[in-house]
Amino acid sequence: MDDDTIAELADRAGVEADFAARLRDLGIVGPPAAERYAEGDVRRVRLIHMLVRAGLPLDGIGTAVRNGTLSLDFVDTATYDRFASFSSETFGEVSARTGIPVETLGVIRE
């Protein structure tokens, strides 16, 4: 079940399952509180993925989270509910489905 749960977390965050599993192993994300990971966990994975892509060391981030130097709890706040979840639907597809021009969708997103 855990591998399926990690695979779903990775899919929802738009990352590889191995990356999500590594975050779990480093203690950056724990086991899900219920049958499925919360949106805050998905945002946590996305945020860490961006930081690693920007050049920050994943092991260092993991150490900082585990020892309390770095808290990612802010991604659980209501403010972050405004950020859209990862979706396989493109702006072009949304435009075709809704009739809203892609340019307008871009402005709305900003």
Side-chain angles (χ1 to χ4, degrees), residues 8-105:
E8 182 201 8
L9 173 63
D11 186 54
R12 289 170 56 205
V15 302
E16 297 291 323
D18 289 345
F19 184 80
R22 180 85 173 111
L23 296 185
R24 179 202 55 213
D25 295 346
L26 288 170
I28 295 171
V29 293
E35 293 180 18
R36 142 178 234 217
Y37 279 97
E39 281 304 309
D41 295 312
V42 173
R43 290 189 289 264
R44 221 173 249 95
V45 170
R46 266 196 243 126
L47 174 62
I48 297 302
H49 189 254
M50 287 186 287
L51 292 174
V52 168
R53 288 187 53 164
L56 290 166
L58 182 55
D59 288 334
I61 295 170
T63 298
V65 168
R66 283 191 311 277
N67 70 23
T69 304
L70 175 64
S71 171
L72 300 173
D73 292 346
F74 65 92
V75 301
D76 294 318
T77 63
T79 305
Y80 278 83
D81 287 340
R82 294 161 74 215
F83 294 100
S85 297
F86 180 77
S87 171
S88 61
E89 189 175 31
T90 67
F91 277 91
E93 292 167 341
V94 172
S95 176
R97 178 173 52 82
T98 63
I100 300 171
V102 171
E103 296 79 14
T104 303
L105 291 171

